[in-house]
Amino acid sequence: MSAPSWLPLRRDLSPLSPYGAPQVPAQASLNTNENPYSPSPELQRAIADAVLKVSSELNRYPDRDAVSLRTKLAEYINSRSSTKLGSQNIWAANGSNEIIQSIFLAFGEGAALGFTPSYSMHPLIAKVCGTKWIDGKRNPDFTINISAALEEIAGHKPSLTFITTPNNPTGGALSIEDIKRLADAAGKVGGLLVVDEAYAEFSSQESAVTLIASNPHVIVIRTMSKAFAFAGARVGYMVCDSCVTDAMMLVRLPYHLSALTQAAASVAIDFKDELLGYVSTLIKSRDSLVRELEDLGLRTIPSAANFILFTGFKADAPKLWSELLGKGVLIRDVGLAGYLRVSIGNEAENTLFISALKELI
Ligand SMILES: *Cc1c(COP(=O)(O)O)cnc(C)c1O
């Protein structure tokens, strides 16, 4: 950022650039892994009713600890993973990015290790919070080299080790056995393993929430932004040992989660069957989009999420990206030379994407 010299910006921030996925109008918005299906009229009405109800008390601060929402989130996790977690094992915030920030504020005194390419906000939030970031690398096929990762954890002794599974932007998921080995290694050096599971509902791998009871060094981050089709409401949460939750209380801002957000999120969880119903549709669309891309002679990276990273086109990635935008299709240039990422949209969006691509490559 080129800040003027009179501005007393922290010196360690001046080399950084803000997060900036382009927000431009397009016929098909397939760039931020949102769920393309908007809430049903019934869900919209239920949210409006719940918001109306809390509106009469907006002169008061909300429940600072969001206990009722956290209880519902725990029940949701238990229903998916056969765990026995309670509200003390959940912390909720305005999107999982706020959760990530709180993790750095609470535990970021030592270094943080992550394996790139992965979610770009992990290193950016680390730097903003003054935590040293160590870039571990992935294999050329974007899988994590587990034995190299174990060595890096043992060697650097990071306070925080980040993995994203399924990984964004590449799409691959880790097995629970591999996550357990990384968690044991993180625990052995007195650190925490942070497992960002923003896309867990799209994957058939077992969730790392099942490890928490036997290994308190595991933190799992979840979000309502993707599978739950609730990105606009800003709700993310973490699943963890109750001691980790207690530490969150030190760094959270008072009354951080508004009464409106808490009410709307509770209703969305009540409608989980409707919202998660779209997940299987999106998985089917993902699998057919993979076939269509391969039929065009392109190569895809195996994905367990609601997006596909693909390569094998002749133009360079920024050029193809802007040509697609010219045809009304907004996808994502994630900064990997020769690769582009497309989020799975609804049928019309996917069709438009493939037909635009056909004309360009
Ligand atoms: C989209 C995404 C998030 C979501 O962030 P929110 O703040 O909850 O919307 C978190 N982690 C990863 C890896 C993501 O791709």
Side-chain angles (χ1 to χ4, degrees):
M1 196 185 134
S2 54
S5 56
W6 56 263
L7 195 65
L9 182 70
R10 263 170 43 197
R11 248 179 312 168
D12 56 340
L13 294 187
S14 63
L16 304 181
S17 323
Y19 174 86
Q23 273 193 316
V24 294
Q27 235 176 306
S29 287
L30 305 175
N31 68 327
T32 51
N33 301 340
E34 293 153 337
N35 194 312
Y37 299 104
S38 53
S40 68
E42 293 73 32
L43 174 51
Q44 293 176 36
R45 184 146 318 114
I47 290 171
D49 288 346
V51 166
L52 183 63
K53 211 159 141 203
V54 296
S55 299
S56 66
E57 289 176 32
L58 283 180
N59 55 315
R60 302 290 176 194
Y61 281 116
D63 174 6
R64 204 167 42 211
D65 297 336
V67 176
S68 143
L69 174 61
R70 286 163 56 211
T71 305
K72 278 197 168 179
L73 288 166
E75 287 163 3
Y76 166 67
I77 291 292
N78 292 340
S79 74
R80 307 270 303 176
S81 286
S82 314
T83 41
K84 293 194 181 64
L85 303 162
S87 62
Q88 73 282 2
N89 302 109
I90 306 280
W91 184 244
N94 298 282
S96 52
N97 280 288
E98 183 178 300
I99 294 283
I100 297 165
Q101 186 183 56
S102 295
I103 289 172
F104 278 110
L105 291 176
F107 307 112
E109 193 171 358
L113 168 70
F115 304 94
T116 42
S118 188
Y119 188 45
S120 61
M121 288 309 296
H122 297 154
L124 182 55
I125 299 175
K127 286 166 193 163
V128 166
C129 293
T131 295
K132 183 182 169 206
W133 179 263
I134 301 165
D135 238 349
K137 291 279 182 282
R138 288 170 181 263
N139 292 320
D141 67 356
F142 300 126
T143 54
I144 290 188
N145 181 332
I146 297 293
S147 52
L150 294 172
E151 276 174 33
E152 287 185 287
I153 294 171
H156 294 295
K157 302 184 174 39
S159 300
L160 296 166
T161 299
F162 278 82
I163 53 172
T164 305
T165 179
N167 188 47
N168 179 10
T170 56
L174 284 174
S175 70
I176 194 73
E177 291 77 23
D178 284 344
I179 300 174
K180 188 175 180 313
R181 292 170 71 195
L182 296 171
D184 291 342
K188 213 179 266 175
V189 299
L192 296 167
L193 181 74
V194 182
V195 187
D196 191 333
E197 289 191 356
Y199 302 95
E201 285 90 346
F202 298 101
S203 165
S204 51
Q205 294 290 346
E206 187 177 333
S207 164
V209 298
T210 55
L211 301 175
I212 293 168
S214 57
N215 187 343
H217 295 267
V218 176
I219 297 180
V220 178
I221 303 176
R222 292 289 191 95
T223 179
M224 292 182 74
S225 296
K226 310 286 165 58
F228 259 99
F230 219 51
R234 311 304 301 124
V235 185
Y237 55 103
M238 65 193 239
V239 190
C240 55
D241 185 84
S242 62
C243 297
V244 178
T245 312
D246 292 344
M248 285 295 109
M249 305 275 188
L250 291 173
V251 296
R252 63 103 184 271
L253 297 173
Y255 315 106
H256 66 298
L257 202 56
S258 89
L260 304 172
T261 305
Q262 294 186 38
S266 288
V267 173
I269 298 168
D270 291 339
F271 279 72
K272 71 175 183 345
D273 292 341
E274 170 189 321
L275 292 168
L276 295 173
Y278 300 129
V279 168
S280 47
T281 307
L282 287 166
I283 290 172
K284 279 192 210 114
S285 305
R286 174 188 76 207
D287 297 344
S288 50
L289 212 51
V290 164
R291 279 192 300 274
E292 291 178 88
L293 288 167
E294 310 242 321
D295 286 349
L296 291 178
L298 301 171
R299 195 167 68 77
T300 60
I301 309 305
S303 171
N306 66 337
F307 55 83
I308 302 164
L309 188 72
F310 64 97
T311 186
F313 42 84
K314 286 191 196 74
D316 68 352
K319 181 160 182 283
L320 182 56
W321 178 87
S322 67
E323 287 173 346
L324 280 165
L325 187 57
K327 291 186 177 292
V329 182
L330 175 62
I331 66 168
R332 190 72 169 272
D333 178 2
V334 292
L336 287 172
Y339 290 84
L340 286 170
R341 190 194 71 190
V342 62
S343 311
I344 312 303
N346 62 30
E347 213 168 307
E349 292 170 318
N350 298 338
T351 305
L352 182 65
F353 164 64
I354 289 293
S355 63
L357 198 56
K358 228 177 246 172
E359 290 167 23
L360 293 171
I361 59 166

